[in-house]
Amino acid sequence: LSLRGRFGKEFDWGVRLATGSFADAISTNQTLTDFYNRKPVGLDQAYIAWTPERAPGLRLQAGKFDVPWLRTEMTIDNDLQVEGFNQTYAYDFTAPKKDPQGPNSLRRKITFIATQLPFLERNSAFIRNINGTINLDDSRRAGRDLALYAAQVQGLFDLSPTVALTLSAADLYISPIQVFGNILQLPVIFTIPATATTPAQLITTQVNIPRDLLVAGNSNLGLSTASSNAVNRDGRLASGYNLVDLIARLEWINNKTRPKWPVMLLFNFVTNTQTHDVVVAGAGGANVFLKNNENNGYYAEIQVGRQKQRGDLQFGYTFMRVEKDAVLTPFNISDIAQQSDMRNHRLSFNYTADPRVVLTLTGIVTERPNGLLGVFGTTPQGSLNRPTTRVQFDTTFRF
């Protein structure tokens, strides 16, 4: 349920509610069953934006909103609603139309985007060594807040009245995330009651729980921080994440001869400039460093057709190859078997049964190029490594 409005000419706002697990940021899907219990509905968007008239092309936005830069699901899932601040400046140097009855002018537009998105705030605390002294490195790490900083430049260029080209280059920097891994550390405080000979004791400790126990199975907590990225022997992520994201999109729309069959081609390449060697346990417990070259991702998509009038058809094919540490997996596409160290093929077919009803059939095939335990694990001999196939059927109502 989405609401939009304006305050005067310069301010607009939006609020949206959506179903789904509160803790799962990359899916608004709601699973039925659970003995017909009530389903959660949460605040999916809440923002305000300012577009000052004295600065044409400028837009300042704050709150919880859709991802403001051009991207694909390889880096950011379509359901993710980010939180923070966004600044956009668009400069349109399309020539003005001279003849009102003549053809439209070819578009020329450049857009600059800057975004600051905090996503984890931590309390500051001193971490002590066994002998009681303060461990400065661990204390800094434990108190460091996490945020995503993004900058992008986009260009939209009409090559002809029927062909449009969009180019974009973005840098996504995520402040050092040294806690996400396959082990979740939970603080525990409990009291040992007093006895006839000893007073009551307050015990403070922490419990290490494999993250998979919280995100898999019917009794999960709905956490979306599960990661398929490489982790060191201490359970922390091996790499940092600074993503250079390049996108090219070509659209061909011929409204005169083939209005029902527009064509869209898109290619996306991402590389992580902050990958680090992976630390594993060697002989005698010594650290062994494995070279990490798993930093690139490739995405290609083609769509033919449209979803506008009754009887319209649309066909699509998407290919993804995402290496182990190319992207940060708690945030990217959620509809596939695993979000990195994978090769994926997706086929889709859309039929517009009515201008307000679209039927979609999607087939998703995910392969693990490096075995069940990934590029930095040793898969036991004889283990099966078959592709995972998912068939998805959607009915979309539009009003």
Side-chain angles (χ1 to χ4, degrees):
L1 175 63
S2 180
L3 305 176
R4 298 286 185 266
R6 298 190 65 86
F7 299 117
K9 297 181 179 180
E10 296 188 341
F11 292 89
D12 63 275
W13 58 269
V15 175
R16 189 168 76 189
L17 304 179
T19 60
S21 170
F22 290 153
D24 190 352
I26 56 176
S27 178
T28 56
N29 290 344
Q30 177 60 59
T31 302
L32 302 181
T33 71
D34 288 338
F35 278 81
Y36 312 134
N37 62 358
R38 294 180 178 87
K39 309 306 175 186
V41 176
L43 189 63
D44 197 45
Q45 286 187 354
Y47 66 85
I48 187 169
W50 180 37
T51 53
E53 288 187 331
R54 56 183 176 272
L58 180 64
R59 176 180 171 86
L60 307 178
Q61 187 177 32
K64 186 174 182 64
F65 43 82
D66 195 10
V67 175
W69 62 88
L70 180 64
R71 90 287 186 192
T72 68
E73 297 170 278
M74 179 172 66
T75 55
I76 300 291
D77 189 89
N78 289 336
D79 289 325
L80 184 68
Q81 302 299 307
V82 295
E83 303 168 12
F85 306 93
N86 174 61
Q87 305 85 40
T88 301
Y89 176 72
Y91 179 70
D92 193 337
F93 51 98
T94 302
K97 190 176 180 180
K98 297 180 180 179
D99 182 2
Q101 304 300 323
N104 292 329
S105 300
L106 299 183
R107 294 172 298 172
R108 300 287 189 274
K109 186 177 182 180
I110 298 292
T111 304
F112 301 92
I113 300 172
T115 311
Q116 307 82 40
L117 308 171
F119 64 88
L120 180 61
E121 184 178 1
R122 295 198 188 99
N123 294 324
S124 298
F126 286 122
I127 305 299
R128 297 185 180 275
N129 297 313
I130 296 177
N131 60 4
T133 60
I134 295 174
N135 187 315
L136 293 179
D137 290 338
D138 284 349
S139 297
R140 292 191 186 100
R141 180 165 46 238
R144 180 184 293 138
D145 295 343
L146 305 184
L148 167 60
Y149 303 97
Q152 185 180 65
V153 57
Q154 299 177 18
L156 171 62
F157 310 96
D158 282 344
L159 305 182
S160 75
T162 60
V163 180
L165 175 66
T166 301
L167 301 173
S168 74
D171 186 84
L172 314 178
Y173 172 71
I174 302 173
S175 57
I177 42 177
Q178 299 171 334
V179 296
F180 286 130
N182 58 1
I183 299 297
L184 189 67
Q185 296 179 339
L186 301 178
V188 176
I189 300 176
F190 59 93
T191 301
I192 299 178
T195 66
T197 57
T198 60
Q201 300 181 58
L202 184 66
I203 305 297
T204 301
T205 185
Q206 65 181 20
V207 177
N208 295 332
I209 300 177
R211 195 178 298 274
D212 290 345
L213 295 180
L214 299 180
V215 298
N218 293 328
S219 60
N220 72 82
L221 299 182
L223 298 180
S224 61
T225 52
S227 171
S228 61
N229 298 120
V231 295
N232 292 327
R233 61 181 300 184
D234 62 0
R236 295 185 178 132
L237 290 183
S239 296
Y241 290 86
N242 183 70
L243 311 183
V244 177
D245 193 23
L246 306 175
I247 296 177
R249 183 174 65 192
L250 187 68
E251 298 172 280
W252 179 59
I253 303 174
N254 195 329
N255 292 322
K256 294 182 178 180
T257 61
R258 291 190 179 95
K260 289 189 175 184
W261 299 105
V263 178
M264 189 279 293
L265 300 172
L266 184 147
F267 180 75
N268 181 197
F269 170 73
V270 64
T271 184
N272 180 12
T273 65
Q274 294 293 325
T275 53
H276 304 303
D277 293 346
V278 179
V279 182
V280 299
N287 287 338
V288 175
F289 295 87
L290 304 180
K291 187 66 176 176
N292 188 355
N293 295 317
E294 296 283 306
N295 63 321
N296 294 329
Y298 308 88
Y299 181 104
E301 181 178 4
I302 180 171
Q303 288 185 1
V304 180
R306 67 180 189 180
Q307 305 174 29
K308 188 176 181 181
Q309 298 178 357
R310 180 181 286 111
D312 282 351
L313 301 175
Q314 186 181 64
F315 304 90
Y317 169 73
T318 303
F319 170 79
M320 275 182 283
R321 172 69 176 99
V322 183
E323 295 177 347
K324 189 74 170 176
D325 281 349
V327 298
L328 186 61
T329 56
F331 292 149
N332 72 332
I333 181 171
S334 62
D335 288 337
I336 58 180
Q338 65 181 53
Q339 294 155 281
S340 73
D341 189 29
M342 63 84 177
R343 184 186 298 112
N344 179 264
H345 306 270
R346 181 173 61 186
L347 290 166
S348 63
F349 169 75
N350 296 280
Y351 172 69
T352 305
D354 182 271
R356 296 185 177 90
V357 182
V358 178
L359 307 178
T360 303
L361 179 64
T362 305
I364 303 172
V365 180
T366 306
E367 302 171 299
R368 298 176 174 87
N370 296 298
L372 297 178
L373 297 185
V375 63
F376 297 108
T378 302
T379 300
Q381 291 184 351
S383 297
L384 298 178
N385 188 30
R386 294 173 177 169
T388 299
T389 302
R390 169 176 290 174
V391 178
Q392 182 173 318
F393 180 76
D394 298 297
T395 303
T396 305
F397 299 90
R398 303 182 297 196
F399 296 92

